[in-house]
Amino acid sequence: MPLYLDHGLVNGEIVKLNEEKKVKYEEKRLPFPYEIKPVEPELNKKILGDFSGERTGFVQVGPKNYFFPSGYEKEAENFYNFELRPDDVFVATFPRSGTTWTQDMVWLLCNNLDYDKAAKIPLTERFPFLEFSCFVHKDTKAEFLQENEADPEKYKIVQEIDYPGWKTLAKTDGQRFIKTHLPFSLLPPNLTRNGCKVIYVARNPKDVAVSFYHLNRTMRTQGYTGDFEKYWDYFQNNLQPWTPYWEHIKEGWNMRHEKNVLFIFYENMNKNLRRHVEKVANFLGKSYTSEELDQLENHLKFENFRNNKSVNYDIMESIGVYRKVNQAGYVRSGKNGGWRDYFSQEMEKRADQWIEENLRDTDLRFPL
């Protein structure tokens, strides 16, 4: 049964529905097709002990057991029934796979390379994160509110951090740019048939895990307190949000031939940025001069990008939701192969075996 029976999206607006419209709205909405079950109590207790941002617990979704914090359950059907527009552009990734980098590229390509506007508006506003509200537990939010109560402006920002992304996007005028880490199976089933463009970026799991480890330490909505080896165990055993990693990646890979889907590898983007700028521009139907593309490439070069305040979660840092650890910013090292600094020989051997087992039934291969 739909979760929001009294309100619906009418011409892009969230409105109160009368009884006649309510019936039609209920008929239009699809029931969420997957079972959502809580993680086993003892395991849940263990994970909560290592991740201080979530306070209630975790759930697993569907036959693939996609892993989410408790807040996902009340929003699952809204994500599945998110009302698409033909000119929507999605950047869909497993976390820490070049999402932010790709978002800024996409937004600039679609907005006449307006660097001034991009600098003034944080990427989080230009490119709303569809499911972020699920990760803001009410008790964690209460702590953020208390910490910021002396500053009315910051207090207001905290008040709004758990406002659902799908509601924000429903009120957005003009073309919409949407960030998500949800796999295709949990997004609207007509996503690729509605005219929307989806850019899916994949990155090898060892580099993803290292980058995700750092994010989980710095984002207090996650609040990971353990070391990397323990984190890798959670990651490999599909006990981290948005895992199973392999199911997520394979869903993206299997959509790569859809005309409205562009599948790219982070490793290739890192090795030949210009080629991928041109590829994304072509996919989006955008054309720029060689000089304009030179400027965009320079803007996106990592040594410049990591100093771009618009993309570095400065607002989240100002209200204490995001805290740097060892001065590592939200946009961190960006290099291929950084995992080698974190994996012991035993961990590397175990990880390589896990990768080999999961690639056995697919022609997916990560660039060297």
Side-chain angles (χ1 to χ4, degrees):
M1 178 169 289
L3 298 175
Y4 291 86
L5 298 183
D6 294 327
H7 291 76
L9 291 177
V10 178
N11 296 324
E13 292 295 322
I14 301 173
V15 299
K16 182 80 172 178
L17 300 175
N18 60 32
E19 290 303 316
E20 181 182 357
K21 285 182 178 178
K22 192 185 301 184
V23 171
K24 291 180 180 178
Y25 183 61
E26 290 183 47
E27 291 174 352
K28 181 181 178 183
R29 283 174 68 88
L30 297 170
F32 187 68
Y34 305 115
E35 178 187 9
I36 300 177
K37 59 189 178 185
V39 170
E40 186 272 326
E42 283 303 310
L43 178 58
N44 190 60
K45 182 179 178 181
K46 177 178 182 292
I47 300 171
L48 287 173
D50 288 321
F51 293 85
S52 62
E54 173 62 20
R55 306 297 168 83
T56 299
F58 299 90
V59 297
Q60 292 174 306
V61 183
K64 296 177 181 178
N65 286 325
Y66 281 113
F67 187 96
F68 293 103
S70 58
Y72 174 81
E73 186 167 9
K74 71 176 183 179
E75 295 287 10
E77 191 171 273
N78 292 313
F79 300 142
Y80 198 71
N81 284 279
F82 176 63
E83 188 171 313
L84 303 167
R85 300 177 192 168
D87 62 347
D88 286 340
V89 179
F90 283 74
V91 168
T93 67
F94 190 89
R96 309 310 284 173
S97 299
T99 321
T100 305
W101 205 17
T102 309
Q103 286 174 261
D104 202 43
M105 179 203 303
V106 166
W107 191 91
L108 286 165
L109 286 169
C110 290
N111 286 274
N112 300 313
L113 304 182
D114 192 340
Y115 299 101
D116 290 338
K117 186 174 182 180
K120 292 172 184 174
I121 305 175
L123 188 62
T124 50
E125 293 181 29
R126 291 184 276 135
F127 231 112
F129 189 173
L130 183 62
E131 68 268 23
F132 180 72
S133 63
C134 298
F135 291 79
V136 185
H137 192 280
K138 62 181 179 61
D139 293 346
T140 310
K141 179 183 175 180
E143 293 175 6
F144 299 151
L145 286 169
Q146 184 177 14
E147 293 167 9
N148 289 278
E149 61 185 357
D151 188 320
E153 186 175 340
K154 291 181 180 180
Y155 190 85
K156 183 178 179 181
I157 295 171
V158 176
Q159 284 181 308
E160 297 173 354
I161 62 170
D162 60 346
Y163 189 75
W166 65 269
K167 288 187 178 182
T168 297
L169 288 158
K171 298 177 180 179
T172 299
D173 294 324
Q175 188 174 24
R176 303 185 302 184
F177 302 92
I178 303 162
K179 167 187 173 178
T180 186
H181 295 314
L182 295 175
F184 277 100
S185 59
L186 301 183
L187 289 166
N190 63 333
L191 176 59
T192 61
R193 301 189 300 272
N194 198 270
C196 304
K197 298 283 191 179
V198 183
I199 298 166
Y200 188 97
V201 190
R203 188 183 190 187
N204 81 81
K206 289 188 281 191
D207 276 333
V208 163
V210 168
S211 187
F212 207 10
Y213 159 70
H214 284 286
L215 181 70
N216 275 274
R217 294 168 73 212
T218 55
M219 288 294 291
R220 291 172 64 200
T221 48
Q222 274 93 322
Y224 180 62
T225 56
D227 60 18
F228 177 71
E229 185 169 3
K230 191 173 188 180
Y231 180 81
W232 173 255
D233 285 338
Y234 280 126
F235 185 88
Q236 184 174 340
N237 288 294
N238 305 323
L239 297 173
Q240 261 298 278
W242 295 285
T243 59
Y245 166 86
W246 288 110
E247 295 296 342
H248 198 298
I249 294 293
K250 288 175 184 179
E251 284 192 29
W253 181 248
N254 290 338
M255 297 295 286
R256 69 192 185 281
H257 297 307
E258 294 282 331
K259 70 174 184 177
N260 289 323
V261 176
L262 177 64
F263 185 104
I264 57 179
F265 286 105
Y266 176 87
E267 288 80 7
N268 286 339
M269 187 171 156
N270 212 343
K271 285 188 281 189
N272 193 334
L273 178 58
R274 177 56 171 267
R275 181 184 173 197
H276 282 75
V277 168
E278 293 173 351
K279 181 183 289 190
V280 172
N282 183 62
F283 175 69
L284 296 170
K286 303 298 178 181
S287 179
Y288 292 99
T289 66
S290 179
E291 291 75 15
E292 288 172 326
L293 292 176
D294 287 343
Q295 185 180 10
L296 179 57
E297 182 183 8
N298 187 62
H299 171 85
L300 293 169
K301 282 183 177 176
F302 210 81
E303 57 270 28
N304 298 326
F305 193 69
R306 69 185 306 172
N307 295 317
N308 183 344
K309 291 183 177 297
S310 173
V311 304
N312 259 303
Y313 261 42
D314 282 16
I315 290 178
M316 289 295 193
E317 185 176 6
S318 74
I319 59 176
V321 174
Y322 165 72
R323 287 180 175 170
K324 291 180 182 178
V325 176
N326 298 327
Q327 297 305 305
Y330 185 77
V331 177
R332 213 174 53 84
S333 73
K335 65 182 180 180
N336 295 337
W339 61 267
R340 292 181 178 85
D341 297 331
Y342 292 84
F343 281 73
S344 66
Q345 286 186 341
E346 187 277 329
M347 289 174 65
E348 182 180 351
K349 182 178 179 180
R350 182 158 48 99
D352 288 343
Q353 182 178 353
W354 175 69
I355 292 169
E356 182 181 348
E357 289 171 356
N358 280 281
L359 289 177
R360 200 167 288 156
D361 64 346
T362 176
D363 58 352
L364 167 69
R365 295 294 182 270
F366 288 94
L368 297 176

